[in-house]
Short mmCIF file of all heavy atoms in Angstrom, two decimals:
data_model
loop_
_atom_site.label_atom_id
_atom_site.label_comp_id
_atom_site.label_asym_id
_atom_site.label_seq_id
_atom_site.Cartn_x
_atom_site.Cartn_y
_atom_site.Cartn_z
N MET C 1472 104.87 101.25 55.60
CA MET C 1472 104.35 100.49 56.75
C MET C 1472 105.02 99.13 56.82
O MET C 1472 105.11 98.43 55.82
CB MET C 1472 102.84 100.32 56.59
CG MET C 1472 102.22 99.53 57.74
SD MET C 1472 100.44 99.46 57.63
CE MET C 1472 100.12 98.11 58.75
N THR C 1473 105.49 98.78 57.98
CA THR C 1473 106.14 97.48 58.15
C THR C 1473 105.11 96.42 58.44
O THR C 1473 104.11 96.68 59.11
CB THR C 1473 107.16 97.53 59.30
OG1 THR C 1473 106.49 97.98 60.46
CG2 THR C 1473 108.31 98.44 58.98
N ARG C 1474 105.36 95.26 57.89
CA ARG C 1474 104.44 94.15 58.15
C ARG C 1474 104.85 93.45 59.42
O ARG C 1474 105.99 93.09 59.60
CB ARG C 1474 104.50 93.16 56.98
CG ARG C 1474 103.83 93.72 55.73
CD ARG C 1474 103.90 92.69 54.61
NE ARG C 1474 103.15 91.47 54.94
CZ ARG C 1474 101.83 91.34 54.69
NH1 ARG C 1474 101.16 92.32 54.14
NH2 ARG C 1474 101.21 90.23 54.97
N GLN C 1475 103.92 93.27 60.31
CA GLN C 1475 104.19 92.56 61.56
C GLN C 1475 103.25 91.38 61.68
O GLN C 1475 102.11 91.45 61.22
CB GLN C 1475 103.97 93.47 62.77
CG GLN C 1475 105.04 94.53 62.92
CD GLN C 1475 104.80 95.37 64.15
OE1 GLN C 1475 103.74 95.95 64.30
NE2 GLN C 1475 105.76 95.42 65.02
N PRO C 1476 103.73 90.31 62.31
CA PRO C 1476 102.82 89.19 62.54
C PRO C 1476 101.64 89.63 63.41
O PRO C 1476 101.80 90.47 64.30
CB PRO C 1476 103.68 88.17 63.29
CG PRO C 1476 105.08 88.63 63.15
CD PRO C 1476 105.04 90.10 62.85
N LEU C 1477 100.48 89.07 63.15
CA LEU C 1477 99.28 89.48 63.89
C LEU C 1477 99.47 89.30 65.40
O LEU C 1477 99.04 90.13 66.18
CB LEU C 1477 98.09 88.63 63.41
CG LEU C 1477 96.75 89.00 64.04
CD1 LEU C 1477 96.39 90.45 63.73
CD2 LEU C 1477 95.66 88.06 63.56
N GLY C 1478 100.16 88.24 65.78
CA GLY C 1478 100.37 87.98 67.20
C GLY C 1478 101.10 89.12 67.88
O GLY C 1478 100.75 89.54 68.98
N ALA C 1479 102.14 89.64 67.20
CA ALA C 1479 102.92 90.74 67.78
C ALA C 1479 102.07 91.99 67.94
O ALA C 1479 102.17 92.70 68.94
CB ALA C 1479 104.14 91.02 66.91
N VAL C 1480 101.21 92.25 66.93
CA VAL C 1480 100.35 93.43 66.99
C VAL C 1480 99.37 93.30 68.16
O VAL C 1480 99.17 94.23 68.94
CB VAL C 1480 99.59 93.61 65.67
CG1 VAL C 1480 98.57 94.75 65.78
CG2 VAL C 1480 100.57 93.88 64.54
N LEU C 1481 98.77 92.12 68.28
CA LEU C 1481 97.82 91.90 69.37
C LEU C 1481 98.52 92.05 70.72
O LEU C 1481 97.99 92.67 71.65
CB LEU C 1481 97.22 90.50 69.26
CG LEU C 1481 96.11 90.35 68.22
CD1 LEU C 1481 95.65 88.90 68.17
CD2 LEU C 1481 94.93 91.25 68.57
N PHE C 1482 99.73 91.48 70.83
CA PHE C 1482 100.47 91.56 72.08
C PHE C 1482 100.73 93.02 72.46
O PHE C 1482 100.57 93.42 73.60
CB PHE C 1482 101.79 90.80 71.96
CG PHE C 1482 102.59 90.82 73.23
CD1 PHE C 1482 102.23 90.01 74.30
CD2 PHE C 1482 103.69 91.65 73.36
CE1 PHE C 1482 102.97 90.03 75.47
CE2 PHE C 1482 104.42 91.68 74.53
CZ PHE C 1482 104.06 90.86 75.59
N ALA C 1483 101.11 93.82 71.44
CA ALA C 1483 101.38 95.24 71.69
C ALA C 1483 100.11 95.94 72.16
O ALA C 1483 100.13 96.74 73.10
CB ALA C 1483 101.93 95.90 70.43
N LEU C 1484 99.01 95.66 71.52
CA LEU C 1484 97.74 96.29 71.90
C LEU C 1484 97.35 95.92 73.32
O LEU C 1484 96.93 96.76 74.11
CB LEU C 1484 96.62 95.85 70.94
CG LEU C 1484 96.65 96.52 69.56
CD1 LEU C 1484 95.58 95.91 68.67
CD2 LEU C 1484 96.41 98.02 69.71
N ILE C 1485 97.52 94.64 73.67
CA ILE C 1485 97.17 94.18 75.01
C ILE C 1485 98.09 94.85 76.04
O ILE C 1485 97.65 95.28 77.09
CB ILE C 1485 97.25 92.65 75.09
CG1 ILE C 1485 96.12 92.04 74.26
CG2 ILE C 1485 97.18 92.17 76.54
CD1 ILE C 1485 96.29 90.56 73.99
N SER C 1486 99.38 94.95 75.72
CA SER C 1486 100.33 95.60 76.62
C SER C 1486 99.93 97.04 76.89
O SER C 1486 99.94 97.50 78.02
CB SER C 1486 101.74 95.55 76.04
OG SER C 1486 102.14 94.22 75.87
N VAL C 1487 99.56 97.75 75.83
CA VAL C 1487 99.19 99.16 75.97
C VAL C 1487 97.93 99.29 76.81
O VAL C 1487 97.85 100.12 77.72
CB VAL C 1487 98.98 99.81 74.58
CG1 VAL C 1487 98.29 101.16 74.72
CG2 VAL C 1487 100.32 99.97 73.88
N SER C 1488 96.93 98.43 76.55
CA SER C 1488 95.69 98.55 77.30
C SER C 1488 95.91 98.19 78.77
O SER C 1488 95.32 98.79 79.65
CB SER C 1488 94.60 97.66 76.69
OG SER C 1488 94.97 96.31 76.79
N THR C 1489 96.79 97.22 79.03
CA THR C 1489 97.11 96.88 80.41
C THR C 1489 97.80 98.06 81.10
O THR C 1489 97.49 98.40 82.24
CB THR C 1489 98.02 95.65 80.48
OG1 THR C 1489 97.37 94.59 79.79
CG2 THR C 1489 98.28 95.22 81.91
N ALA C 1490 98.73 98.69 80.40
CA ALA C 1490 99.45 99.84 80.97
C ALA C 1490 98.48 100.98 81.27
O ALA C 1490 98.55 101.60 82.32
CB ALA C 1490 100.54 100.30 80.01
N LEU C 1491 97.56 101.24 80.34
CA LEU C 1491 96.59 102.31 80.55
C LEU C 1491 95.68 101.98 81.73
O LEU C 1491 95.33 102.84 82.53
CB LEU C 1491 95.74 102.51 79.29
CG LEU C 1491 96.48 103.16 78.12
CD1 LEU C 1491 95.58 103.21 76.90
CD2 LEU C 1491 96.93 104.57 78.50
N HIS C 1492 95.32 100.71 81.84
CA HIS C 1492 94.48 100.27 82.94
C HIS C 1492 95.19 100.55 84.27
O HIS C 1492 94.60 101.07 85.21
CB HIS C 1492 94.20 98.78 82.78
CG HIS C 1492 93.36 98.20 83.85
ND1 HIS C 1492 92.01 98.44 83.95
CD2 HIS C 1492 93.67 97.39 84.89
CE1 HIS C 1492 91.54 97.79 85.01
NE2 HIS C 1492 92.53 97.15 85.59
N LEU C 1493 96.48 100.20 84.33
CA LEU C 1493 97.25 100.43 85.55
C LEU C 1493 97.38 101.93 85.83
O LEU C 1493 97.28 102.36 86.97
CB LEU C 1493 98.63 99.79 85.44
CG LEU C 1493 98.64 98.27 85.55
CD1 LEU C 1493 100.05 97.74 85.27
CD2 LEU C 1493 98.19 97.83 86.93
N LEU C 1494 97.60 102.71 84.78
CA LEU C 1494 97.73 104.16 84.97
C LEU C 1494 96.43 104.73 85.53
O LEU C 1494 96.44 105.61 86.38
CB LEU C 1494 98.06 104.83 83.64
CG LEU C 1494 99.53 104.79 83.23
CD1 LEU C 1494 99.70 105.33 81.83
CD2 LEU C 1494 100.38 105.59 84.21
N GLY C 1495 95.31 104.21 85.03
CA GLY C 1495 94.02 104.67 85.51
C GLY C 1495 93.84 104.42 86.99
O GLY C 1495 93.25 105.21 87.70
N ARG C 1496 94.38 103.30 87.45
CA ARG C 1496 94.27 102.97 88.87
C ARG C 1496 95.36 103.63 89.69
O ARG C 1496 95.27 103.71 90.91
CB ARG C 1496 94.35 101.46 89.06
CG ARG C 1496 93.12 100.74 88.58
CD ARG C 1496 93.16 99.30 89.02
NE ARG C 1496 91.95 98.62 88.59
CZ ARG C 1496 90.82 98.63 89.28
NH1 ARG C 1496 90.75 99.30 90.40
NH2 ARG C 1496 89.77 97.99 88.84
N GLY C 1497 96.41 104.05 89.01
CA GLY C 1497 97.51 104.68 89.73
C GLY C 1497 98.70 103.76 89.83
O GLY C 1497 98.61 102.69 90.43
N MET C 1498 99.82 104.17 89.25
CA MET C 1498 101.00 103.31 89.26
C MET C 1498 101.54 103.11 90.67
O MET C 1498 102.20 102.13 90.96
CB MET C 1498 102.11 103.93 88.38
CG MET C 1498 101.84 103.82 86.90
SD MET C 1498 101.69 102.11 86.35
CE MET C 1498 103.42 101.67 86.23
N HIS C 1499 101.30 104.06 91.57
CA HIS C 1499 101.80 103.92 92.92
C HIS C 1499 101.15 102.74 93.65
O HIS C 1499 101.55 102.38 94.74
CB HIS C 1499 101.58 105.21 93.70
CG HIS C 1499 100.12 105.54 93.86
ND1 HIS C 1499 99.37 106.10 92.85
CD2 HIS C 1499 99.28 105.38 94.90
CE1 HIS C 1499 98.14 106.26 93.28
NE2 HIS C 1499 98.05 105.85 94.51
N ARG C 1500 100.12 102.19 93.01
CA ARG C 1500 99.45 101.07 93.63
C ARG C 1500 100.08 99.73 93.28
O ARG C 1500 99.55 98.69 93.64
CB ARG C 1500 97.98 101.06 93.27
CG ARG C 1500 97.24 102.13 94.01
CD ARG C 1500 95.79 101.77 94.08
NE ARG C 1500 95.10 102.62 95.02
CZ ARG C 1500 93.89 102.34 95.47
NH1 ARG C 1500 93.27 101.26 95.05
NH2 ARG C 1500 93.31 103.12 96.32
N LEU C 1501 101.18 99.77 92.55
CA LEU C 1501 101.91 98.52 92.35
C LEU C 1501 102.71 98.25 93.61
O LEU C 1501 103.42 99.11 94.11
CB LEU C 1501 102.86 98.64 91.15
CG LEU C 1501 102.23 98.49 89.77
CD1 LEU C 1501 103.32 98.61 88.71
CD2 LEU C 1501 101.54 97.15 89.63
N GLY C 1502 102.59 97.04 94.13
CA GLY C 1502 103.30 96.74 95.36
C GLY C 1502 103.92 95.36 95.32
O GLY C 1502 103.52 94.52 94.51
N ARG C 1503 104.91 95.15 96.18
CA ARG C 1503 105.51 93.83 96.30
C ARG C 1503 104.88 93.13 97.47
O ARG C 1503 104.59 93.74 98.50
CB ARG C 1503 107.02 93.94 96.51
CG ARG C 1503 107.79 92.96 95.65
CD ARG C 1503 109.15 92.64 96.21
NE ARG C 1503 109.05 91.68 97.32
CZ ARG C 1503 110.09 91.21 97.97
NH1 ARG C 1503 111.29 91.63 97.68
NH2 ARG C 1503 109.94 90.34 98.94
N CYS C 1504 104.68 91.84 97.31
CA CYS C 1504 104.09 91.03 98.36
C CYS C 1504 104.92 91.17 99.64
O CYS C 1504 106.14 91.20 99.59
CB CYS C 1504 104.04 89.58 97.91
SG CYS C 1504 103.20 88.51 99.07
N ALA C 1505 104.24 91.28 100.79
CA ALA C 1505 104.92 91.51 102.06
C ALA C 1505 105.59 90.26 102.61
O ALA C 1505 106.32 90.33 103.59
CB ALA C 1505 103.92 92.06 103.09
N VAL C 1506 105.33 89.11 102.00
CA VAL C 1506 106.01 87.89 102.43
C VAL C 1506 107.43 87.90 101.87
O VAL C 1506 107.60 88.00 100.65
CB VAL C 1506 105.25 86.64 101.94
CG1 VAL C 1506 106.02 85.36 102.28
CG2 VAL C 1506 103.86 86.60 102.55
N PRO C 1507 108.45 87.83 102.75
CA PRO C 1507 109.84 88.00 102.28
C PRO C 1507 110.23 87.02 101.17
O PRO C 1507 110.93 87.40 100.23
CB PRO C 1507 110.67 87.73 103.54
CG PRO C 1507 109.76 88.04 104.67
CD PRO C 1507 108.37 87.68 104.20
N GLU C 1508 109.80 85.78 101.26
CA GLU C 1508 110.24 84.80 100.27
C GLU C 1508 109.36 84.79 99.02
O GLU C 1508 109.58 84.03 98.11
CB GLU C 1508 110.33 83.40 100.88
CG GLU C 1508 109.06 82.89 101.50
CD GLU C 1508 108.95 83.24 102.99
OE1 GLU C 1508 109.49 84.28 103.42
OE2 GLU C 1508 108.30 82.49 103.71
N CYS C 1509 108.36 85.67 98.97
CA CYS C 1509 107.51 85.79 97.79
C CYS C 1509 107.92 87.04 97.02
O CYS C 1509 108.06 88.10 97.60
CB CYS C 1509 106.04 85.87 98.22
SG CYS C 1509 104.91 86.02 96.82
N THR C 1510 108.15 86.89 95.74
CA THR C 1510 108.66 88.01 94.94
C THR C 1510 107.60 88.55 93.98
O THR C 1510 107.92 89.26 93.04
CB THR C 1510 109.90 87.58 94.14
OG1 THR C 1510 109.55 86.45 93.36
CG2 THR C 1510 111.04 87.22 95.06
N VAL C 1511 106.33 88.23 94.23
CA VAL C 1511 105.27 88.64 93.32
C VAL C 1511 105.03 90.15 93.41
O VAL C 1511 104.95 90.71 94.50
CB VAL C 1511 103.96 87.87 93.65
CG1 VAL C 1511 102.79 88.46 92.88
CG2 VAL C 1511 104.13 86.40 93.34
N ILE C 1512 104.97 90.79 92.25
CA ILE C 1512 104.56 92.20 92.18
C ILE C 1512 103.09 92.21 91.79
O ILE C 1512 102.69 91.59 90.81
CB ILE C 1512 105.35 92.96 91.11
CG1 ILE C 1512 106.85 92.80 91.32
CG2 ILE C 1512 104.95 94.44 91.07
CD1 ILE C 1512 107.41 93.56 92.48
N PHE C 1513 102.26 92.88 92.58
CA PHE C 1513 100.83 92.87 92.28
C PHE C 1513 100.32 94.30 92.15
O PHE C 1513 100.93 95.25 92.65
CB PHE C 1513 100.05 92.14 93.38
CG PHE C 1513 100.18 92.79 94.74
CD1 PHE C 1513 99.35 93.83 95.10
CD2 PHE C 1513 101.13 92.35 95.64
CE1 PHE C 1513 99.47 94.44 96.34
CE2 PHE C 1513 101.25 92.95 96.89
CZ PHE C 1513 100.42 93.99 97.24
N ALA C 1514 99.21 94.43 91.43
CA ALA C 1514 98.54 95.72 91.33
C ALA C 1514 97.46 95.75 92.40
O ALA C 1514 96.57 94.90 92.43
CB ALA C 1514 97.94 95.89 89.95
N ASP C 1515 97.57 96.71 93.29
CA ASP C 1515 96.63 96.82 94.40
C ASP C 1515 95.28 97.30 93.89
O ASP C 1515 95.14 98.42 93.44
CB ASP C 1515 97.19 97.80 95.43
CG ASP C 1515 96.37 97.79 96.70
OD1 ASP C 1515 95.25 97.25 96.69
OD2 ASP C 1515 96.86 98.31 97.71
N THR C 1516 94.30 96.42 93.95
CA THR C 1516 92.97 96.77 93.44
C THR C 1516 91.99 97.05 94.58
O THR C 1516 90.81 97.22 94.34
CB THR C 1516 92.43 95.63 92.56
OG1 THR C 1516 92.50 94.41 93.30
CG2 THR C 1516 93.24 95.48 91.29
N SER C 1517 92.50 97.09 95.81
CA SER C 1517 91.60 97.35 96.93
C SER C 1517 91.24 98.83 96.96
O SER C 1517 91.98 99.68 96.46
CB SER C 1517 92.28 96.96 98.24
OG SER C 1517 93.39 97.80 98.50
N ARG C 1518 90.09 99.15 97.54
CA ARG C 1518 89.65 100.54 97.62
C ARG C 1518 90.59 101.39 98.46
O ARG C 1518 90.84 102.54 98.18
CB ARG C 1518 88.26 100.59 98.26
CG ARG C 1518 87.14 100.49 97.26
CD ARG C 1518 85.82 100.46 98.00
NE ARG C 1518 84.74 100.12 97.09
CZ ARG C 1518 84.10 101.02 96.36
NH1 ARG C 1518 84.42 102.28 96.46
NH2 ARG C 1518 83.15 100.65 95.55
N THR C 1519 91.11 100.80 99.53
CA THR C 1519 91.94 101.56 100.46
C THR C 1519 93.37 101.70 99.97
O THR C 1519 94.09 102.57 100.43
CB THR C 1519 91.96 100.87 101.83
OG1 THR C 1519 92.36 99.51 101.65
CG2 THR C 1519 90.59 100.89 102.48
N GLY C 1520 93.80 100.85 99.02
CA GLY C 1520 95.17 100.89 98.55
C GLY C 1520 96.15 100.39 99.58
O GLY C 1520 97.31 100.79 99.60
N ARG C 1521 95.70 99.52 100.44
CA ARG C 1521 96.57 99.02 101.50
C ARG C 1521 96.82 97.53 101.40
O ARG C 1521 97.16 96.88 102.39
CB ARG C 1521 95.96 99.32 102.87
CG ARG C 1521 96.04 100.79 103.21
CD ARG C 1521 95.51 101.03 104.59
NE ARG C 1521 95.61 102.44 104.94
CZ ARG C 1521 95.10 102.96 106.05
NH1 ARG C 1521 94.47 102.19 106.89
NH2 ARG C 1521 95.24 104.22 106.30
N GLN C 1522 96.62 96.99 100.21
CA GLN C 1522 96.86 95.57 100.02
C GLN C 1522 98.33 95.27 100.23
O GLN C 1522 99.20 95.93 99.66
CB GLN C 1522 96.44 95.17 98.61
CG GLN C 1522 96.43 93.68 98.38
CD GLN C 1522 95.93 93.35 96.99
OE1 GLN C 1522 95.14 94.09 96.42
NE2 GLN C 1522 96.40 92.26 96.45
N ARG C 1523 98.65 94.30 101.06
CA ARG C 1523 100.05 94.01 101.37
C ARG C 1523 100.51 92.70 100.76
O ARG C 1523 101.70 92.45 100.67
CB ARG C 1523 100.24 93.94 102.88
CG ARG C 1523 100.06 95.27 103.56
CD ARG C 1523 100.37 95.17 105.03
NE ARG C 1523 101.74 94.75 105.25
CZ ARG C 1523 102.17 94.09 106.32
NH1 ARG C 1523 101.33 93.77 107.26
NH2 ARG C 1523 103.44 93.75 106.45
N TYR C 1524 99.58 91.83 100.40
CA TYR C 1524 99.95 90.51 99.91
C TYR C 1524 99.36 90.27 98.53
O TYR C 1524 98.30 90.81 98.20
CB TYR C 1524 99.45 89.43 100.88
CG TYR C 1524 99.91 89.67 102.29
CD1 TYR C 1524 99.06 90.26 103.21
CD2 TYR C 1524 101.19 89.33 102.68
CE1 TYR C 1524 99.48 90.51 104.50
CE2 TYR C 1524 101.62 89.57 103.96
CZ TYR C 1524 100.77 90.16 104.88
OH TYR C 1524 101.20 90.41 106.15
N CYS C 1525 100.08 89.42 97.77
CA CYS C 1525 99.64 89.15 96.40
C CYS C 1525 98.39 88.28 96.42
O CYS C 1525 97.60 88.31 95.49
CB CYS C 1525 100.76 88.47 95.62
SG CYS C 1525 101.18 86.83 96.22
N SER C 1526 98.20 87.50 97.47
CA SER C 1526 97.08 86.56 97.51
C SER C 1526 96.74 86.22 98.95
O SER C 1526 97.53 86.46 99.87
CB SER C 1526 97.45 85.28 96.75
OG SER C 1526 98.58 84.70 97.35
N GLN C 1527 95.57 85.64 99.14
CA GLN C 1527 95.13 85.26 100.48
C GLN C 1527 96.06 84.23 101.12
O GLN C 1527 96.39 84.35 102.30
CB GLN C 1527 93.69 84.75 100.43
CG GLN C 1527 93.04 84.61 101.80
CD GLN C 1527 93.03 85.92 102.58
OE1 GLN C 1527 92.71 86.97 102.02
NE2 GLN C 1527 93.40 85.89 103.84
N PRO C 1528 96.52 83.20 100.38
CA PRO C 1528 97.46 82.24 100.99
C PRO C 1528 98.70 82.93 101.55
O PRO C 1528 99.20 82.54 102.61
CB PRO C 1528 97.82 81.31 99.83
CG PRO C 1528 96.63 81.35 98.94
CD PRO C 1528 96.10 82.77 99.05
N CYS C 1529 99.21 83.95 100.86
CA CYS C 1529 100.38 84.67 101.36
C CYS C 1529 100.03 85.42 102.64
O CYS C 1529 100.81 85.46 103.57
CB CYS C 1529 100.91 85.63 100.30
SG CYS C 1529 102.14 84.88 99.21
N ALA C 1530 98.86 86.03 102.69
CA ALA C 1530 98.42 86.73 103.89
C ALA C 1530 98.35 85.76 105.06
O ALA C 1530 98.81 86.06 106.17
CB ALA C 1530 97.07 87.39 103.65
N ASN C 1531 97.80 84.58 104.81
CA ASN C 1531 97.70 83.57 105.87
C ASN C 1531 99.09 83.14 106.33
O ASN C 1531 99.34 83.00 107.52
CB ASN C 1531 96.94 82.35 105.36
CG ASN C 1531 95.48 82.69 105.07
OD1 ASN C 1531 94.97 83.70 105.53
ND2 ASN C 1531 94.83 81.86 104.29
N ARG C 1532 99.98 82.91 105.36
CA ARG C 1532 101.32 82.45 105.69
C ARG C 1532 102.04 83.46 106.57
O ARG C 1532 102.70 83.12 107.53
CB ARG C 1532 102.10 82.22 104.39
CG ARG C 1532 103.41 81.55 104.63
CD ARG C 1532 104.01 80.84 103.43
NE ARG C 1532 103.68 81.38 102.14
CZ ARG C 1532 104.56 81.49 101.14
NH1 ARG C 1532 105.80 81.12 101.32
NH2 ARG C 1532 104.20 81.94 99.97
N ASP C 1533 101.91 84.75 106.24
CA ASP C 1533 102.59 85.77 107.01
C ASP C 1533 101.98 85.90 108.40
O ASP C 1533 102.67 86.15 109.38
CB ASP C 1533 102.54 87.11 106.27
CG ASP C 1533 103.71 88.00 106.64
OD1 ASP C 1533 104.83 87.45 106.77
OD2 ASP C 1533 103.51 89.21 106.81
N ALA C 1534 100.67 85.70 108.50
CA ALA C 1534 100.01 85.77 109.81
C ALA C 1534 100.55 84.67 110.71
O ALA C 1534 100.84 84.89 111.89
CB ALA C 1534 98.50 85.64 109.63
N VAL C 1535 100.71 83.47 110.16
CA VAL C 1535 101.25 82.35 110.93
C VAL C 1535 102.68 82.65 111.35
O VAL C 1535 103.08 82.43 112.49
CB VAL C 1535 101.18 81.05 110.10
CG1 VAL C 1535 101.97 79.93 110.78
CG2 VAL C 1535 99.74 80.64 109.88
N ARG C 1536 103.46 83.20 110.42
CA ARG C 1536 104.87 83.49 110.71
C ARG C 1536 104.99 84.52 111.84
O ARG C 1536 105.78 84.36 112.76
CB ARG C 1536 105.54 84.02 109.43
CG ARG C 1536 107.04 84.20 109.54
CD ARG C 1536 107.63 84.63 108.22
NE ARG C 1536 107.08 85.90 107.78
CZ ARG C 1536 107.53 87.09 108.19
NH1 ARG C 1536 108.53 87.16 109.02
NH2 ARG C 1536 106.98 88.20 107.77
N ARG C 1537 104.15 85.57 111.77
CA ARG C 1537 104.21 86.59 112.82
C ARG C 1537 103.76 86.02 114.15
O ARG C 1537 104.30 86.35 115.20
CB ARG C 1537 103.33 87.78 112.43
CG ARG C 1537 104.07 88.78 111.55
CD ARG C 1537 103.16 89.92 111.16
NE ARG C 1537 102.01 89.40 110.43
CZ ARG C 1537 100.91 90.10 110.17
NH1 ARG C 1537 100.80 91.30 110.62
NH2 ARG C 1537 99.94 89.58 109.50
N HIS C 1538 102.77 85.15 114.10
CA HIS C 1538 102.28 84.51 115.33
C HIS C 1538 103.41 83.72 115.99
O HIS C 1538 103.62 83.82 117.19
CB HIS C 1538 101.11 83.60 114.97
CG HIS C 1538 100.49 82.96 116.17
ND1 HIS C 1538 99.78 83.68 117.10
CD2 HIS C 1538 100.46 81.67 116.59
CE1 HIS C 1538 99.36 82.85 118.05
NE2 HIS C 1538 99.76 81.63 117.76
N ARG C 1539 104.15 82.96 115.18
CA ARG C 1539 105.26 82.17 115.72
C ARG C 1539 106.34 83.07 116.28
O ARG C 1539 106.91 82.80 117.32
CB ARG C 1539 105.84 81.27 114.62
CG ARG C 1539 104.95 80.07 114.37
CD ARG C 1539 105.62 79.11 113.42
NE ARG C 1539 104.68 78.04 113.05
CZ ARG C 1539 104.64 77.45 111.87
NH1 ARG C 1539 105.50 77.81 110.94
NH2 ARG C 1539 103.78 76.51 111.62
N ALA C 1540 106.65 84.16 115.57
CA ALA C 1540 107.69 85.09 116.00
C ALA C 1540 107.32 85.70 117.35
O ALA C 1540 108.16 85.83 118.23
CB ALA C 1540 107.89 86.19 114.96
N ASN C 1541 106.06 86.04 117.53
CA ASN C 1541 105.61 86.59 118.81
C ASN C 1541 105.80 85.59 119.94
O ASN C 1541 106.19 85.95 121.04
CB ASN C 1541 104.13 86.99 118.71
CG ASN C 1541 103.96 88.28 117.91
OD1 ASN C 1541 104.90 89.03 117.74
ND2 ASN C 1541 102.75 88.50 117.41
N ARG C 1542 105.51 84.33 119.66
CA ARG C 1542 105.66 83.31 120.70
C ARG C 1542 107.12 83.14 121.09
O ARG C 1542 107.42 82.90 122.25
CB ARG C 1542 105.10 81.98 120.20
CG ARG C 1542 103.60 81.90 120.36
CD ARG C 1542 103.15 80.49 120.55
NE ARG C 1542 103.81 79.62 119.57
CZ ARG C 1542 103.28 78.47 119.15
NH1 ARG C 1542 102.12 78.09 119.62
NH2 ARG C 1542 103.90 77.72 118.29
N MET C 1543 108.05 83.26 120.10
CA MET C 1543 109.47 83.12 120.39
C MET C 1543 109.93 84.23 121.33
O MET C 1543 110.70 84.02 122.24
CB MET C 1543 110.27 83.20 119.09
CG MET C 1543 109.99 82.06 118.16
SD MET C 1543 111.32 80.86 118.07
CE MET C 1543 112.38 81.65 116.89
N VAL C 1544 109.41 85.45 121.13
CA VAL C 1544 109.83 86.60 121.92
C VAL C 1544 109.31 86.47 123.35
O VAL C 1544 110.02 86.73 124.31
CB VAL C 1544 109.32 87.91 121.27
CG1 VAL C 1544 109.50 89.09 122.22
CG2 VAL C 1544 110.05 88.16 119.97
N GLY C 1545 108.10 86.08 123.50
CA GLY C 1545 107.63 86.01 124.87
C GLY C 1545 106.37 85.21 124.92
O GLY C 1545 105.46 85.55 125.61
ZN1 ZN V 1149 102.85 86.61 97.83
#
């Protein structure tokens, strides 16, 4: 048996439990934030699985951006 620092063992355990947690929810529910300049990858925890943004501020920002784009068009 190899000796490992306790921190490394804990980190490995946490990584595994996080991975299992994600698997339980479904890996296909990992999504990228719909805001182009935001690169956050989030785990969709909504019931519908239709979460598009990593956070509410991003959702608001994209709503404002789309609103402006619509005004430019017509
Ligand atoms: Zn975002």
Side-chain angles (χ1 to χ4, degrees):
M1472 180 175 163
T1473 55
R1474 288 180 64 87
Q1475 288 182 304
L1477 183 60
V1480 174
L1481 281 177
F1482 181 76
L1484 284 175
I1485 290 166
S1486 299
V1487 167
S1488 64
T1489 303
L1491 288 176
H1492 180 73
L1493 286 174
L1494 279 173
R1496 289 190 178 275
M1498 287 300 280
H1499 64 282
R1500 286 203 168 194
L1501 281 181
R1503 225 204 78 179
C1504 185
V1506 175
E1508 57 269 30
C1509 180
T1510 55
V1511 170
I1512 306 287
F1513 62 85
D1515 189 345
T1516 53
S1517 67
R1518 270 177 191 274
T1519 54
R1521 287 183 179 174
Q1522 189 177 332
R1523 293 185 60 207
Y1524 307 99
C1525 66
S1526 60
Q1527 192 58 45
C1529 270
N1531 294 343
R1532 189 159 29 140
D1533 207 40
V1535 169
R1536 187 176 60 84
R1537 274 178 301 166
H1538 184 69
R1539 283 187 187 146
N1541 285 341
R1542 277 209 314 206
M1543 295 253 277
V1544 169

